[in-house]
Amino acid sequence: MKDPYLLHVFSPTKYVSPFDINMAYEAKYDAVIPYCNVTLDEIHPLTQDTIFSRSPVGVKRTGIFIGGRDFHLAIDMLNAARQAMVPPFEVSVLADPSGAITTAAAMVALAEHWLKKTDGSDLRGRRVHVLGGTGPVGNCVGLLAASCGAEVYLVSNRGEREAQASADICNARYGCELRGAAGGAPGAIAKMLEDTEVVFNAAKAGVRLVDAATLRGARRLRVAADANAVPPSGIEGVGAKDNGVALETTGGVARGLGALAIGDVKYRVHTGLLSQMHDASRPLYLAHEEAFALARSIVG
Ligand SMILES: NC(=O)c1ccc[n+]([C@@H]2O[C@H](COP(=O)([O-])OP(=O)(O)OC[C@H]3O[C@@H](n4cnc5c(N)ncnc54)[C@H](OP(=O)(O)O)[C@@H]3O)[C@@H](O)[C@H]2O)c1
C-alpha cells in the first residue's frame, strides 16, 4: 500500500486497549501499531522515530494516540510528543487514556444540554458532585464542569483527604478550583445530594452508589449522569439508554443520563477526533478541550 494512514498508539500500560484499536480502524486508519509499557521519557525518541521516517506526504498520514489509564500522565505525554516535533516533520496527537477524556466530554456536554433544554440555564454556578471523582473519568469530568463555571466536588470513597489530594493535583495542573468530599461513610452521599444540582457517577464499574431513597431526598437535583454500563446501574432508576428521561424518584424534576446514551456521544467524539487527525492538513493536538468542543457540537 502506498502512503498508508498509520496510527502509532503509545501506552504506559501493559496492553493497549482493544477498544482504542477498534476505534482507530473505525476512523479509517490503515494500520494501528501498539507500543506498551512506554515511559514519559521514551515519548521524545519514539515521536522523532515516527516523524523522520516518512516522506512529506507520509508524515501527513501519520498520527499518534496516547492511551493508558492515567489522565495526567497522558497529558504530559501529549506535551512531550509535541515538544519532540521538528516542523515540517510534525504529526497530530490525540490523548484519551481509558476513554476518560471522550467519556467526560460526553457526560458534561449532555448535562449542559439538558440543563439548557429544561430551564434555559447551564452549568454556571451549579453545585456539582462527581462520584468516583479521583479516577481518570472523574478528574476530567470535574475539570470540564469547573471550566463551565460549576462549583465542583470530587467525591472519594476513601475519604476527604484523598478527594482533596486529587482535586489539588487538578487545580495545580489545570488552574481550576475543584474541592474534595468524602463519600464512603454510610449516608454521606445522601447528605451531599440533598444540596447538589448535578451528580455525575464516574465510579468503578458495577457499583451502585445512589439508591432511590437517596434520590428522593435530592430536592435540588436537575441532572443525574451515570457512566457505569455494568449492572447494577450506578444511580438507581437511570436506564442505560436514558437520554434526558425524567427521573420518577425526583418527582420528574431531574433528568437521567445513562451509560449507553453517554457512550453513544463518547463514541462519536472519539472517532470524530481521530477523523479530524486523519483528514487534517496541519498537525492537531487534541485533548479534553477539543473533545469537549466536539461533544458540545454533537449534542447541541
Ligand atoms: N459510558 C461510557 O461510554 C464509558 C466509557 C468509559 C468509562 N466508563 C465508565 O466510567 C466509570 C469511570 O471510569 P474510570 O476508568 O475512571 O473508573 P475507575 O478508575 O475504575 O474508578 C474510578 C473511581 O471509582 C472509585 N471506586 C473504586 N471502588 C469503589 C467502590 N467500591 N465504591 C465507590 N467508588 C469506588 C475509585 O475512587 P475512590 O477510591 O477515591 O473512591 C476510583 O478512582 C466506570 O464505571 C467505567 O466503566 C463509561
Side-chain angles (χ1 to χ4, degrees):
M1 186 183 295
K2 194 174 178 313
D3 294 322
Y5 282 91
L6 304 179
L7 187 71
H8 298 276
V9 182
F10 300 158
S11 177
T13 46
K14 185 175 171 190
Y15 303 110
V16 162
S17 156
F19 188 102
D20 293 335
I21 304 231
N22 293 347
M23 288 285 169
Y25 281 108
E26 295 263 340
K28 310 276 184 278
Y29 279 90
D30 296 311
V32 184
I33 307 101
Y35 304 74
C36 303
N37 294 317
V38 176
T39 59
L40 178 57
D41 59 2
E42 289 169 336
I43 291 290
H44 192 281
L46 274 174
T47 301
Q48 293 203 334
D49 264 12
T50 301
I51 60 176
F52 286 134
S53 50
R54 297 202 79 187
S55 68
V57 173
V59 91
K60 285 200 173 66
R61 296 181 177 200
T62 308
I64 292 174
F65 181 91
I66 310 281
R69 291 265 315 133
D70 185 321
F71 174 58
H72 308 306
L73 177 57
I75 298 296
D76 288 344
M77 287 184 158
L78 182 145
N79 291 333
R82 188 170 194 163
Q83 278 166 14
M85 302 297 174
V86 184
F89 295 96
E90 188 176 6
V91 303
S92 296
V93 187
L94 166 62
D96 193 21
S98 211
I101 286 175
T102 47
T103 304
M107 289 178 88
V108 179
L110 278 166
E112 183 185 61
H113 170 77
W114 281 102
L115 287 171
K116 274 194 188 130
K117 199 158 175 166
T118 49
D119 65 10
S121 67
D122 54 26
L123 280 158
R124 253 172 301 178
R126 297 286 190 179
R127 179 166 289 193
V128 168
H129 281 86
V130 188
L131 310 179
T134 62
V137 175
N139 269 194
C140 194
V141 164
L143 84 95
L144 289 177
S147 76
C148 295
E151 178 191 318
V152 179
Y153 293 81
L154 300 185
V155 182
S156 172
N157 208 34
R158 290 168 294 146
E160 188 169 342
R161 201 166 54 170
E162 284 74 7
Q164 191 59 50
S166 186
D168 287 344
I169 291 170
C170 294
N171 295 343
R173 292 181 60 105
Y174 310 106
C176 46
E177 281 185 46
L178 308 181
R179 298 159 210 209
I189 290 177
K191 184 83 193 137
M192 63 182 70
L193 259 59
E194 282 175 9
D195 199 29
T196 205
E197 295 164 277
V198 178
V199 62
F200 293 101
N201 177 38
K204 186 178 137 172
V207 179
R208 170 159 292 164
L209 289 178
V210 180
D211 60 15
T214 297
L215 286 172
R216 276 192 282 276
R219 293 193 181 83
R220 297 183 64 208
L221 195 65
R222 293 293 173 272
V223 175
D226 183 10
N228 167 39
V230 179
S233 61
I235 302 175
E236 189 169 10
V238 177
K241 292 184 181 164
D242 287 359
N243 188 355
V245 174
L247 259 175
E248 280 177 29
T249 38
T250 64
V253 178
R255 302 300 175 127
L257 298 168
L260 296 185
I262 292 164
D264 176 55
V265 177
K266 177 251 177 324
Y267 172 89
R268 287 191 274 160
V269 173
H270 192 146
T271 50
L273 292 174
L274 285 167
S275 295
Q276 283 181 14
M277 296 208 304
H278 183 284
D279 299 342
S281 55
R282 62 179 177 83
L284 303 175
Y285 297 93
L286 306 173
H288 47 286
E289 287 174 10
E290 294 76 16
F292 189 43
L294 181 56
R296 275 175 149 170
S297 73
I298 289 169
V299 164

